[in-house]
Amino acid sequence: MRDVYQHDIAEFAARLDDLAEMARWEMRKATCALLEDDVALARAVNADRRAVTELHHRIDEHAIALLARQQPVASDLRTIVAGLRMSADLERMGVLADHVAALALVDGPRPIVPAELRPTVQAMARVADRMAQRVCSALVNRSVADAEQVIAYDDEMDRLLTDLHRHLLSGELPSATAMNLTLLGRYYERFADHTVSLAKRVAFLIGARRYSTAATTGALG
Amino acid sequence: MRDVYQHDIAEFAARLDDLAEMARWEMRKATCALLEDDVALARAVNADRRAVTELHHRIDEHAIALLARQQPVASDLRTIVAGLRMSADLERMGVLADHVAALALVDGPRPIVPAELRPTVQAMARVADRMAQRVCSALVNRSVADAEQVIAYDDEMDRLLTDLHRHLLSGELPSATAMNLTLLGRYYERFADHTVSLAKRVAFLIGARRYSTAATTGALG
């Protein structure tokens, strides 16, 4: 009975890993679609949104089934509750990738990202991807070091966002371009916030006690 | 024992109601601070953010304690898991109010909202407040009718956001103004999304079966 339970918990964790990989790759594809003005790729990301949401729902149903059947306590209970939270973070990351892809499909001035801001946007996308990649590794390998790397990267994301905003505040961009870049910056920022939230939860579950209980219970980031 | 349990569940629900009221009032104050350029009120909203997060964490700890001590099944289990989700939605609503208040404190052109867009922003704020008010009523009175009103209001929010974006796409606003208005629109939109998510969960818990299980498990909206 205990073996079945442990197998069940392991499968729950494996599905979370899958969702994390999915969220990471959707954002990579979305960025590529946006920067290369690749309409077909943008549509493919939009089409994948349903798969992300379905996996998220499957994970949540699995969590509820585990709570009902196994009546876990102590660390198993915290793991499952944190899993529910992480599933929500990962689903939002998928939705944000979908939003980035949608920007590649809007009418308006081309390219969406003007030449002078391309390096900033590319850097934001690269940092976001590294954060997601480290989160995947933190989850799969139960690695506090990877989780801490995610948290450290967040300062770089903040710096890049400040650069973007400074440019928008001082620049003479058309308001349509300013709107699209503001949304784009917000999507990467929130994507990064969710990776930080995930990293703190993972670190807490592994036992790095300096990450407060808020990491398993609260909506961080 | 059963009575103690029911009392505990009732207290859990009452705290969620408190958090909903808090989130609603923070957004009302934030809107007022922004539109009246009231720096002191904006700072007060920023200062309240901690209280919102603390109540959210207390609710989550309470949920985990209920799961551990009472080992609920069936509808009680779904209520508690949905409560965890609702607590996260409400905390985000508080954070979004904090972001709106922060816009009243940024350097830059004054007023943040130009005269020609004031009616649109006022309408967005009014719709957001009605949605939050109906969510509070749906929670307290376990009212499917109130929950359905929230969902109906969301079309109005979408329409107002489309108006705002159309103006930004066609207008000749300074890019700093376009940036601030884009963020403001996004904050109201997300605030409204969370009220819809809450309304669907409430309707599902009451037993309006057309709101799918996604309402208790998924991150809707």
Side-chain angles (χ1 to χ4, degrees), chain B residues 34-68:
Chain B
L34 183 84
L35 292 176
E36 307 306 322
D37 223 351
D38 184 336
V39 168
L41 187 57
R43 292 216 174 100
V45 174
N46 289 168
D48 287 344
R49 177 167 168 171
R50 182 185 289 260
V52 170
T53 301
E54 278 174 5
L55 182 52
H56 162 59
H57 287 164
R58 277 220 305 283
I59 289 168
D60 286 3
E61 285 298 330
H62 194 166
I64 292 172
L66 279 167
L67 290 172

Side-chain angles (χ1 to χ4, degrees), chain A residues 60 71 85 168 171 175 217 219, chain B residues 56 60 71 85 168 171 175 217 219:
Chain A
D60 286 4
Q71 314 249 321
R85 291 263 182 251
L168 290 170
S175 55
T217 62
Chain B
H56 162 59
D60 286 3
Q71 313 248 319
R85 290 262 182 251
L168 290 170
S175 55
T217 62

Side-chain angles (χ1 to χ4, degrees), chain A residues 54-129:
Chain A
E54 278 174 5
L55 182 52
H56 161 58
H57 287 162
R58 277 220 305 282
I59 289 168
D60 286 4
E61 285 299 330
H62 194 167
I64 292 172
L66 278 168
L67 291 172
R69 280 203 311 265
Q70 308 291 353
Q71 314 249 321
V73 290
S75 82
D76 283 345
L77 176 58
R78 294 226 169 234
T79 299
I80 295 165
V81 170
L84 279 165
R85 291 263 182 251
M86 291 198 273
S87 167
D89 279 318
L90 292 166
E91 200 252 351
R92 279 305 301 165
M93 287 163 67
V95 170
L96 291 163
D98 180 74
H99 288 353
V100 169
L103 282 178
L105 299 171
V106 295
D107 292 329
R110 294 286 158 191
I112 290 280
V113 181
E116 71 269 28
L117 282 170
R118 225 178 140 81
T120 305
V121 170
Q122 282 172 323
M124 291 183 91
R126 199 164 45 239
V127 172
D129 182 58

Side-chain angles (χ1 to χ4, degrees), chain B residues 25 31 35 38 45 61 70 79 88 91 119 163 165 170 207 217 221:
Chain B
W25 284 97
T31 298
L35 292 176
D38 184 336
V45 174
E61 285 298 330
Q70 307 291 353
T79 299
E91 199 253 352
D163 284 353
H165 284 182
S170 64
T217 62

Side-chain angles (χ1 to χ4, degrees), chain B residues 53-187:
Chain B
T53 301
E54 278 174 5
L55 182 52
H56 162 59
H57 287 164
R58 277 220 305 283
I59 289 168
D60 286 3
E61 285 298 330
H62 194 166
I64 292 172
L66 279 167
L67 290 172
R69 279 202 312 266
Q70 307 291 353
Q71 313 248 319
V73 290
S75 81
D76 283 346
L77 176 58
R78 294 228 166 232
T79 299
I80 295 165
V81 171
L84 279 165
R85 290 262 182 251
M86 291 197 273
S87 167
D89 278 318
L90 292 166
E91 199 253 352
R92 279 305 301 166
M93 288 163 67
V95 170
L96 290 163
D98 180 73
H99 289 352
V100 169
L103 282 178
L105 299 171
V106 295
D107 292 329
R110 294 285 160 194
I112 289 280
V113 181
E116 71 268 28
L117 282 170
R118 226 178 138 82
T120 304
V121 169
Q122 282 172 322
M124 290 182 92
R126 198 163 49 238
V127 172
D129 183 58
R130 285 191 187 151
M131 292 172 88
Q133 184 246 322
R134 294 283 177 165
V135 156
C136 290
S137 176
L139 276 165
V140 173
N141 304 316
R142 296 181 58 79
S143 157
V144 174
D146 280 322
E148 287 179 340
Q149 272 284 323
V150 175
I151 297 162
Y153 270 129
D154 201 38
D155 289 339
E156 212 168 321
M157 182 60 86
D158 284 346
R159 192 179 53 71
L160 291 163
L161 191 71
T162 303
D163 284 353
L164 180 68
H165 284 182
R166 196 177 297 129
H167 195 97
L168 290 170
L169 287 169
S170 64
E172 290 306 317
L173 296 166
S175 55
T177 304
M179 181 181 99
N180 288 331
L181 285 171
T182 302
L183 289 173
L184 185 61
R186 180 79 185 150
Y187 301 150

